[in-house]
Amino acid sequence: MSTDQFMLQQFLTLRDEIRDSKARIFWLLIIGIALVVLASFMAAEFPAAFANAAIPFILLGLMLSFVSEQNNIARAGRYLREVVEPRIENLDGWEHWLETKPHLRDVDHYFVLGFSVLFLVFFAITTSLTLVQLDKRTSEVYVAAAAIAYALGAFCTAVVLWRHWRSSTAVKESTPAPAAN
């Protein structure tokens, strides 16, 4: 296999990986919403069950899965920009072109920001509702344990979100052209 054929195969594979990650993000959102609605219904119908307590964890899992898929897309794009595109002479590829126009990535950043804010609001609401429900129905030990579990989960998710935000908003510094002699 020649180098050109190998690079073409890498490009096609990464393009498919990006497409698959975008499809998984869509299904994560659909399934996540369905699980939250189902758990909310279960919590309303069976208040003695722990369905309400599961909702914040469902949201944490949904958010971490979303960030994981976003990182898959970013990694594939970065590889295309740094490894595949430089081998194409006299042509700037898609990723290089996007790097020179950071305003074109604003929608992606706002989507991640909007989704994260929405997630955090839902997480705060469901966590507080769960802790209030647990406080009315169980002992303080369960309330404290749930609060600690939610706080640890939120902290871990916040770290992941922070790292994802920093890596997803980083743009390659353009290097100045060498001075003409």
Side-chain angles (χ1 to χ4, degrees):
M1 178 182 287
S2 72
T3 302
D4 290 340
Q5 290 173 330
F6 179 73
M7 295 308 284
L8 176 62
Q9 289 303 315
Q10 278 190 319
F11 173 78
L12 294 174
T13 301
L14 291 170
R15 184 183 65 183
D16 289 343
E17 177 62 28
I18 291 169
R19 184 181 300 127
D20 292 346
S21 285
K22 287 184 176 257
R24 283 190 296 266
I25 286 173
F26 172 78
W27 285 109
L28 274 169
L29 294 175
I30 298 299
I31 292 169
I33 290 169
L35 285 174
V36 168
V37 169
L38 179 66
S40 298
F41 172 77
M42 296 288 290
E45 288 297 314
F46 308 104
F50 284 100
N52 229 11
I55 296 172
F57 291 120
I58 292 170
L59 291 170
L60 288 174
L62 173 66
M63 191 61 194
L64 291 173
S65 298
F66 171 78
V67 170
S68 173
E69 292 301 329
Q70 285 290 108
N71 280 335
N72 286 345
I73 293 169
R75 264 193 316 271
R78 189 171 297 118
Y79 185 82
L80 287 171
R81 181 187 72 232
E82 294 175 2
V83 176
V84 176
E85 290 180 357
R87 293 186 180 235
I88 304 170
E89 294 182 25
N90 303 322
L91 181 68
D92 286 339
W94 173 253
E95 292 296 324
H96 175 77
W97 182 77
L98 280 176
E99 285 294 323
T100 63
K101 297 166 179 36
H103 66 280
L104 296 176
R105 291 198 171 179
D106 286 347
V107 170
D108 295 330
H109 300 309
Y110 294 141
F111 177 74
V112 172
L113 179 63
F115 186 77
S116 299
V117 168
L118 183 65
F119 155 77
L120 292 172
V121 167
F122 280 144
F123 180 78
I125 290 169
T126 58
T127 299
S128 65
L129 289 173
T130 299
L131 292 175
V132 167
Q133 182 187 26
L134 286 174
D135 191 40
K136 289 179 181 177
R137 298 187 184 280
T138 62
S139 71
E140 291 179 10
V141 174
Y142 289 124
V143 176
I148 290 169
Y150 294 148
L152 289 173
F155 176 74
C156 291
T157 303
V159 168
V160 169
L161 283 173
W162 175 253
R163 290 181 56 94
H164 174 71
W165 180 257
R166 289 191 56 202
S167 68
S168 72
T169 57
V171 290
K172 185 178 177 183
E173 297 293 325
S174 58
T175 55
N181 292 336

